[in-house]
Amino acid sequence: MDTKVKVDISKLRIDGERLWAALMELAKIGATPKGGVCRLTLTDLDKQGRDLVSRWAREAGMTVTIDKIGNGFLRRAGRNNALPPIVTGSHIDTQPTGGKFDGNYGVLAGIEVVRTLNDHGIQTEAPIEVAFWTNEEGSRFVPVMMGSGVFAKAFTLEKAYAATDTDGLTVKSELERIGYIGSEEPGDHAIGSYFETHIEQGPVLEDHDITIGVVTGVLGIKWYDCTVTGMEAHAGPTPMALRRDALQVAAQLMLEVVAVAHRHPPDGKGHGRGTVGMVQVHPNSRNVIPGRVKFSIDLRNSSDELVEAMDADIKACAERLSAASGLPIQIELVSHYPAQPFHADCIAAVAKAASDLGYSQMPVVSGAGHDAVYMARMAPAGMIFIPCKDGISHNEIEDAKPAHLEAGCNVLLHAMLAKAGVNPP
Ligand SMILES: [Zn+2]
């Protein structure tokens, strides 16, 4: 007699209360008085978080592999273990004033998917893995997205090992100290497809009252330092026509940074964003005409071509302003992250899972970096966003609704099952 319980896969749902309980349990490690979490990468608290998640994985019958940069791969075997695993994951390190959900949700949603499969005795064709990536936040050690970046060969293991914190401690010595330096070569790990669930960290989903953001890609970013050079002079005796006021010229260029972004509205193609976040006025004195202004420019858009179009507009504007004022304007590129579109198959799997489950959904772009950006260089990748309160993240007041967390995890479950394959019992 067949004693196996027959499961209708389409009716399969994760346990939202268990997911919430896991999030709250992990959030106790490094909990702050204001309700947030401070669990900086490679600290004793990070070790405790890693230990807890690894223990939960082992209790769920998973094996734990750590690579040389401390990335963890928690594996649930499939029926055919020669197939590359379907992987989900995120990070469990936080900002100094971080919240309970950023990153942690992506890892614990993966654990909840496995627990759900265990509950119903479901075996997948391909193995399923949950990854936690080292130092996504980049708060203690630079660069950000370190573990996934080494994995994707965006930079070398040696460079990552040599990074130091403000006390001069290195990534390598801290990995050794907490016992999370494994033997597997980063990147020597097959990935069939990669999915990452994450709180949106922005206000779009909440603003549209939508449960699931089907992430189509991550914006390309260019960072510049811009310097306008004029001449300091006394604010009283110098007539207007004879001034070389660096701030007046800089201000016009700053307006153009925002204007160029407005010319690329979110219309299905462009998602232009332009920000001047840092301004230094020299000598910064009320009765001195500013002689030098240095400011930052942050340009983002959904494709590299659109970022280049914004770049060209800014430079053309700077040339015009410089010619009209006679003041030199220097624009120096300091960082560049290419746009990363996600894979059509993964986007479709997320959209289909959301519609099969009856959740409201919309396509969104990610304005922030995620481990999935580097994974997209290694395998077909996609992301699932859920709303977070007021779009706030990297803040202790970061909050997400249990129903949204549950919905995102259900979408993850069904997107992963579609890729991993399930034979009907
Ligand atoms: Zn994150």
Side-chain angles (χ1 to χ4, degrees):
M1 197 181 96
D2 184 4
T3 54
K4 272 190 180 168
V5 181
K6 290 202 189 299
V7 183
D8 178 353
I9 296 294
S10 70
K11 298 232 162 62
L12 197 64
R13 298 290 183 274
I14 61 99
D15 182 337
E17 280 178 28
R18 183 170 55 191
L19 171 62
W20 180 261
L23 281 161
M24 294 308 113
E25 190 66 28
L26 183 54
K28 285 181 187 165
I29 303 172
T32 62
K34 286 184 185 163
V37 179
C38 174
R39 199 185 316 119
L40 297 185
T41 192
L42 309 185
T43 55
D44 291 347
L45 291 172
D46 185 30
K47 174 188 163 46
Q48 287 175 39
R50 288 162 173 262
D51 287 351
L52 178 60
V53 171
S54 302
R55 175 163 71 77
W56 282 340
R58 290 194 182 94
E59 285 169 1
M62 305 167 87
T63 55
V64 178
T65 302
I66 307 295
D67 73 10
K68 286 183 175 174
I69 188 64
N71 295 322
F73 299 94
L74 320 172
R75 180 179 174 98
R76 183 181 194 263
R79 192 175 284 118
N80 179 356
N81 291 302
L83 292 172
I86 305 306
V87 182
T88 187
S90 197
H91 57 96
I92 55 171
D93 66 318
T94 76
Q95 292 285 331
T97 53
K100 302 184 187 81
F101 304 101
D102 178 1
N104 296 278
Y105 171 49
V107 174
L108 297 184
I111 297 282
E112 177 54 37
V113 163
V114 169
R115 287 173 168 173
T116 300
L117 297 179
N118 288 349
D119 287 348
H120 297 87
I122 294 165
Q123 197 178 21
T124 53
E125 200 58 33
I128 279 184
E129 291 192 10
V130 180
F132 55 79
W133 305 104
T134 295
N135 184 27
E136 192 273 347
E137 295 289 4
S139 175
R140 184 179 176 202
F141 298 103
V142 177
V144 297
M145 301 183 283
M146 181 180 275
S148 52
V150 171
F151 187 93
K153 312 222 182 310
F155 40 87
T156 62
L157 180 62
E158 287 64 40
K159 183 187 168 177
Y161 274 169
T164 53
D165 69 2
T166 51
D167 295 329
L169 297 168
T170 66
V171 163
K172 187 170 190 195
S173 66
E174 287 297 88
L175 271 170
E176 277 166 348
R177 190 183 64 78
I178 68 164
Y180 272 88
I181 194 157
S183 56
E184 188 172 273
E185 212 55 56
D188 273 7
H189 199 100
I191 296 182
S193 293
Y194 180 83
F195 293 97
E196 183 166 346
T197 46
H198 210 284
I199 54 169
E200 183 196 2
Q201 302 182 287
V204 177
L205 292 175
E206 191 177 64
D207 190 46
H208 288 78
D209 195 18
I210 294 281
T211 302
I212 299 294
V214 181
V215 189
T216 55
V218 180
L219 300 183
I221 305 171
K222 276 195 165 186
W223 281 352
Y224 311 82
D225 282 342
C226 183
T227 308
V228 181
T229 309
M231 175 70 85
E232 295 99 271
H234 198 301
T238 318
M240 300 312 285
L242 298 178
R243 294 174 177 223
R244 293 166 64 79
D245 186 331
L247 182 56
Q248 291 304 310
V249 176
Q252 293 177 66
L253 190 53
M254 290 180 205
L255 290 174
E256 174 66 8
V257 170
V258 175
V260 74
H262 280 298
R263 292 199 295 274
H264 292 264
D267 60 358
K269 278 191 297 173
H271 286 271
R273 281 157 204 185
T275 306
V276 175
M278 214 167 65
V279 182
Q280 292 168 299
V281 179
H282 179 81
N284 210 27
S285 173
R286 78 173 64 237
N287 57 355
V288 179
I289 298 162
R292 189 176 67 247
V293 176
K294 195 174 170 186
F295 61 99
S296 61
I297 299 177
D298 175 320
L299 296 180
R300 303 181 190 223
N301 215 325
S302 47
S303 75
D304 293 332
E305 295 72 45
L306 290 170
V307 174
E308 287 316 313
M310 295 170 78
D311 170 285
D313 281 7
I314 293 294
K315 284 178 180 160
C317 177
E319 267 177 39
R320 279 197 309 276
L321 290 170
S322 182
S325 65
L327 270 53
I329 302 178
Q330 200 187 19
I331 300 181
E332 188 194 345
L333 181 70
V334 290
S335 280
H336 175 215
Y337 303 92
Q340 180 63 64
F342 286 133
H343 196 283
D345 291 353
C346 293
I347 296 170
V350 171
K352 181 175 187 310
S355 80
D356 288 351
L357 289 157
Y359 298 131
S360 57
Q361 60 169 291
M362 67 184 283
V364 292
V365 290
S366 175
H370 294 287
D371 294 309
V373 175
Y374 284 137
M375 283 316 102
R377 299 184 185 183
M378 306 297 281
M383 288 190 79
I384 302 155
F385 275 177
I386 59 153
C388 57
K389 190 167 186 297
D390 301 325
I392 299 285
S393 171
H394 286 190
N395 188 318
E396 289 158 278
I397 62 167
E398 177 187 286
D399 202 8
K401 286 192 179 132
H404 289 152
L405 294 158
E406 181 177 337
C409 190
N410 274 323
V411 171
L412 176 69
L413 168 73
H414 285 279
M416 289 186 84
L417 287 180
K419 287 286 169 200
V422 189
N423 285 340

